[in-house]
Amino acid sequence: MKKLNTRIIKKHKLKGLGYPLSMLTCYDYQTAQMLDETELDLILVGDSVGNVILGYETTIKVSLEEMVMFSSAVKRGAPNKFVVADLPFGTYSSLEEGIANSKTLFQQSECEAVKLEGAFPYQLELINRLVQIGIPVMGHIGLTPQSVHEQGGYYMHGKDQRTAHDLISKARDLQAAGVFAIVLECVTPSLAQQITDQLDIPTVGIGSGDKTDGQVLVINDLLKMGKETPPNFCNPMADFYSLRQGVVQKYLKNFQKTEKNENHLYH
Ligand code: KIV
C-alpha cells in the first residue's frame, strides 16, 4: 500500500488523483493497526482525543504530553499511513513556542505532519518556518474548537459576506504560507466549495458539505462509540456503544456468582 505524500497531493491536487481524500481520526494503537490495513488516505490524531477519549468538556485541556503519547501510539500502529498530529491549545501562542513544541510533537510522535488552528499573521510565519525546517503543516479554519469561547460557541461559519470573505483570504494566506491541505470545519457548503475551487491545495471538510476535496470524521462518531449522539453531519455506520454493551451484558449473564460472593461484593 502506498503512503500518501504531501508533494503528490500538492502537484496533482486530488481531482487529478481521481478520488476524494479520506481522513479519519484515531487515538490508539489497535485502531491504528486496523486502519493501517485499509485504503484510508490520512489519519488525524486530533485533539478531539480530549473530548472522546479523555472526557474533557472542550479540547482546551489537552496537553502536549498527551498529544505525544496518543500520536506516538497511533504511529506505532499505523506505520504505513500518513499521520497528522494536532498541536494542542496554548502550544503555539508565539513563534518560538510554536517551533519548539512542533519539533517536540513531530520528533517524539514520529508522525508525518502537524495541524494547527487559525491563520493569524504570526501563525502564517510559524507555518512558513516549520515547512522550512521540514515539518509539513495542515491548516484548520472555520469552526476552530480551541477558540470556541472566543468564537462564541459551535456554529456554521461564513454565513455572511464579511465572514465569508475573511475565510477565503485566510485559506489563501494559509496556502501561501505553505500548508499542504486545509481542514474546513463547519463552513457553509457553498463557501467551502468556493474556497476549494480557488486553492491549489486540497481542502478537507467536516460538517461543510460534500464539495471539498476530502472529508474528515471523528472515528468515534462514525462507529458511534460513545453514549452521546454524534453531530448531525455524521451518519454513524454502526452502533459500537450498544454492541459493546451487549457483549459485556452477555458475558455478565454467563458469569457464575455464588450468593456468598454477591453478598460480600455488594455490601
Ligand atoms: O481534533 C479533531 O478531531 C479535528 C477534526 C475535527 C478536524 O481537528
Side-chain angles (χ1 to χ4, degrees):
M1 206 167 299
K2 269 198 207 142
K3 178 147 73 177
L4 216 72
N5 167 326
T6 55
R7 286 187 183 275
I8 291 175
I9 300 177
K10 245 184 221 167
K11 239 181 166 173
H12 302 281
K13 217 170 167 207
L14 290 156
K15 286 171 197 120
L17 291 176
Y19 62 88
L21 193 66
S22 55
M23 186 179 208
L24 287 174
T25 65
C26 181
Y27 316 103
D28 68 281
Y29 174 72
Q30 290 186 343
T31 308
Q33 280 185 311
M34 178 274 287
L35 293 178
D36 202 49
E37 293 178 351
T38 69
E39 298 296 317
L40 184 73
D41 296 311
L42 292 157
I43 292 179
L44 171 65
V45 189
D47 59 357
S48 51
V49 67
N51 306 112
V52 298
I53 303 296
L54 298 171
Y56 299 158
E57 187 81 22
T58 70
T59 58
I60 293 168
K61 232 181 131 175
V62 177
S63 68
L64 187 65
E65 291 69 30
E66 285 167 339
M67 284 311 301
V68 168
M69 183 180 73
F70 286 108
S71 45
S72 55
V74 169
K75 192 62 231 178
R76 281 192 292 278
N80 301 305
K81 289 292 176 201
F82 190 101
V83 182
V84 182
D86 256 347
L87 277 167
F89 174 82
T91 60
Y92 51 103
S93 318
S94 70
L95 189 59
E96 294 69 30
E97 224 181 4
I99 293 173
N101 290 324
S102 300
K103 276 187 191 168
T104 302
L105 182 59
F106 185 68
Q107 206 165 31
Q108 293 188 13
S109 71
E110 299 185 87
C111 287
E112 279 72 15
V114 299
K115 176 166 81 58
L116 60 88
E117 297 180 5
F120 288 110
Y122 85 90
Q123 293 172 314
L124 300 174
E125 202 181 333
L126 171 62
I127 291 163
N128 194 263
R129 290 281 293 277
L130 293 177
V131 173
Q132 283 179 35
I133 293 166
I135 305 178
V137 184
M138 189 173 201
H140 182 160
I141 53 173
L143 196 170
T144 47
Q146 291 177 15
S147 321
V148 63
H149 299 308
E150 191 278 323
Q151 289 190 334
Y154 300 95
Y155 55 88
M156 290 300 283
H157 287 247
K159 281 185 178 166
D160 58 78
Q161 244 190 345
R162 188 187 57 79
T163 54
H165 188 265
D166 182 52
L167 280 171
I168 292 172
S169 53
K170 277 184 171 149
R172 284 215 183 115
D173 289 347
L174 284 172
Q175 173 172 268
V179 298
F180 69 88
I182 303 177
V183 168
L184 300 178
E185 181 165 355
C186 293
V187 170
T188 60
S190 61
L191 178 61
Q193 179 169 16
Q194 235 180 296
I195 294 173
T196 302
D197 289 345
Q198 291 190 25
L199 297 183
D200 297 321
I201 53 168
T203 56
V204 180
I206 175 162
S208 302
D210 61 359
K211 298 292 189 290
T212 47
D213 294 307
Q215 294 286 331
V216 55
L217 279 179
V218 169
I219 194 164
N220 293 55
D221 292 338
L222 180 69
L223 303 178
K224 195 178 180 327
M225 296 290 283
K227 198 172 172 176
E228 295 83 11
T229 311
N232 56 11
F233 55 78
C234 176
N235 246 340
M237 297 188 73
D239 183 352
F240 273 76
Y241 185 81
S242 305
L243 189 78
R244 296 201 303 172
Q245 194 175 54
V247 171
V248 172
Q249 272 162 349
K250 194 169 164 191
Y251 165 73
L252 291 175
K253 238 185 196 165
N254 296 333
F255 201 74
Q256 294 292 315
K257 282 183 196 163
T258 65
E259 212 177 291
K260 191 174 150 218
N261 273 345
E262 245 172 52
N263 288 338
H264 173 72
L265 286 170
Y266 292 102
H267 253 223

